[in-house]
Amino acid sequence: MPRFLSIPRASWRSSLLALLSLAPGGIAMLFAADPTADQQYWLELINRMRRDPQGELARLVHFSSPGVWATTKSDDPTVQFALDYYNTSASALQTQWNGLTAAPALAWNSQLSNSAISYSNLMVQTQQQSHTLDGLSLANRIQSGGYTNQFLEVGESLFAATENVFHGHSAFAIDWGDSDSNPNNGFGTGIQTPALHREVMMSPAFKELGIGFQSISIPPGNGQAPGPLVVTQHFASQYRYTGTEYVSDPIITGVVHSDDILADAFYTPGEGIANAMIQVWDTFTTTLIASGLTNSAGGFNITTPDLILGRTYAVRLADGSAPDVSFTASASVADYGVPVTIYDNAYASFVVVPEPGSAILSLLACLLIFPRRRATS
């Protein structure tokens, strides 16, 4: 079953005051790789759930009525198998899910992905699924991948027997497993108690995510980390000092895709559009305040400091091939020994309809030109 570890906020309050006085650095920055299409897909699944948890439940599983399983519990047979194996309670799942509230989207962070990939490799090498394989604290683990030491929260989820991306996402969201400490009582509700994987996935305290699949071969007979995907997810949020206050800046995140592989208005691996220019505009002053290009998987993450609370901004494709997406700047203040203003991330997804390909245009041009050539010969 999946494993989860988090660092509670309270445990960092005493140490944050010391961290606040430190300048960024001290950890060698590693190469910041783009997410793969599958990593971007998993990020999109998590953000879909964070933005619409009630809608996500209907996409993961099927009820004949609220809290009652339908004959087919899930369209994915690997999810159906897990629900049957753990005898997961539909009523318990529905009741727990009713308590979920939406949260701002997570932004991709390649340094968190670095540390996540390294840890997935370690699980393969040691043939174990555990949070303590390297002897490091989770804070040191994410910094070993190049993440800043100016962070507010860190979290980690593990699953060393992930069949596919949707299966892994469902495992963390549903959190199937043993809810009972007495093995003679079976699996109880078939949902881990507490459902920490789901809690960290939905926590508004986290703003960034790195997903790491193993990058080494899995030895035959590796029982505890058999794959085919051995996955680690590292969650975090960071801050900066402005000279007068501590802030965690908003990140504009999302994806640009064509929707031409699976026409469902949602990102599918292979649909991402790279190098699309994304712009962020202040709609009150009609000023361009930030911009960036989509990565090779079609995703984008643009940090936008100094937004004005309550003001509306527009996220725009520079070529105008899709409508703008608007958001209003919002934030909350959290106590980490000192007040920290935490701006919410904003999300935008753009579906671009491809124009006719150059091959088709060339063919049309030939059809128009060819008769003229015959007429003049």
Side-chain angles (χ1 to χ4, degrees):
M1 66 183 71
R3 298 285 181 87
F4 166 77
L5 174 68
S6 69
I7 305 299
R9 174 183 299 175
S11 69
W12 287 104
R13 287 179 178 169
S14 60
S15 60
L16 182 62
L17 286 174
L19 287 173
L20 290 174
S21 63
L22 299 176
I27 299 292
M29 295 303 294
L30 304 181
F31 177 69
D34 290 348
T36 65
D38 279 341
Q39 289 169 325
Q40 185 70 42
Y41 176 47
W42 200 325
L43 176 65
E44 293 304 307
L45 290 173
I46 292 173
N47 281 336
R48 185 175 69 180
M49 178 166 168
R50 284 172 69 94
R51 295 166 59 237
D52 178 21
Q54 300 307 320
E56 190 68 4
L57 182 60
R59 301 180 186 102
L60 299 179
V61 299
H62 302 309
F63 295 141
S64 60
S65 59
V68 179
W69 289 124
T71 302
T72 301
K73 297 178 182 178
S74 174
D75 292 333
D76 188 302
T78 64
V79 175
Q80 170 100 22
F81 176 84
L83 295 173
D84 288 340
Y85 179 82
Y86 288 107
N87 193 25
T88 301
S89 168
S91 60
L93 181 62
Q94 180 73 75
T95 298
Q96 292 179 18
W97 215 276
N98 288 343
L100 297 180
T101 56
L106 296 170
W108 177 263
N109 184 281
S110 293
Q111 284 73 42
L112 293 176
S113 177
N114 287 338
S115 57
I117 292 170
S118 294
Y119 201 78
S120 291
N121 286 340
L122 185 58
M123 286 194 286
V124 172
Q125 292 167 343
T126 60
Q127 301 188 33
Q128 297 182 68
Q129 177 178 283
S130 168
H131 290 283
T132 59
L133 297 178
D134 57 5
L136 297 177
S137 68
L138 182 52
N140 287 337
R141 188 174 301 154
I142 67 169
Q143 289 178 80
S144 72
Y147 196 71
T148 177
N149 59 8
Q150 295 189 178
F151 59 86
L152 302 173
E153 305 279 354
V154 290
E156 177 179 85
S157 291
L158 311 174
F159 192 15
T162 308
E163 295 291 342
N164 55 60
V165 171
F166 187 80
H167 171 254
H169 170 64
S170 301
F172 289 145
I174 297 169
D175 223 351
W176 57 59
D178 191 355
S179 70
D180 200 319
S181 59
N182 184 351
N184 296 323
N185 293 337
F187 294 122
T189 63
I191 303 171
Q192 296 187 52
T193 303
L196 292 177
H197 299 93
R198 188 191 314 137
E199 288 182 14
V200 71
M201 188 187 301
M202 293 301 300
S203 173
F206 295 118
K207 299 181 64 175
E208 295 181 286
L209 171 66
I211 302 170
F213 306 132
Q214 82 281 2
S215 59
I216 60 176
S217 299
I218 300 175
N222 194 336
Q224 296 302 310
L229 293 177
V230 177
V231 63
T232 302
Q233 294 182 348
H234 281 163
F235 299 79
S237 56
Q238 57 183 287
Y239 69 91
R240 65 185 176 93
Y241 182 59
T242 67
T244 57
E245 62 176 342
Y246 300 100
V247 299
S248 181
D249 290 318
I251 306 172
I252 315 303
T253 186
V255 69
V256 180
H257 65 105
S258 62
D259 211 35
D260 57 355
I261 294 177
L262 182 62
D264 59 353
F266 187 75
Y267 180 88
T268 299
E271 292 181 344
I273 298 176
N275 297 315
M277 174 61 72
I278 306 296
Q279 298 175 334
V280 183
W281 287 80
D282 183 328
T283 59
F284 180 75
T285 62
T286 63
T287 302
L288 176 65
I289 63 171
S291 63
L293 296 173
T294 56
N295 57 42
S296 58
F300 60 89
N301 305 278
I302 304 172
T303 301
T304 52
D306 304 320
L307 295 186
I308 299 175
L309 292 176
R311 181 166 292 185
T312 299
Y313 297 85
V315 187
R316 177 173 302 166
L317 269 176
D319 65 5
S321 57
D324 293 355
V325 176
S326 297
F327 71 94
T328 301
S330 57
S332 59
V333 177
D335 179 12
Y336 285 91
V338 293
V340 181
T341 301
I342 302 175
Y343 285 82
D344 293 333
N345 290 350
Y347 179 85
S349 176
F350 298 97
V351 179
V352 176
V353 178
E355 296 180 358
S358 58
I360 296 176
L361 293 176
S362 297
L363 177 60
L364 291 174
C366 288
L367 291 175
L368 292 173
I369 295 171
F370 184 66
R372 297 179 189 173
R373 289 180 175 172
R374 290 192 62 187
T376 58
S377 62

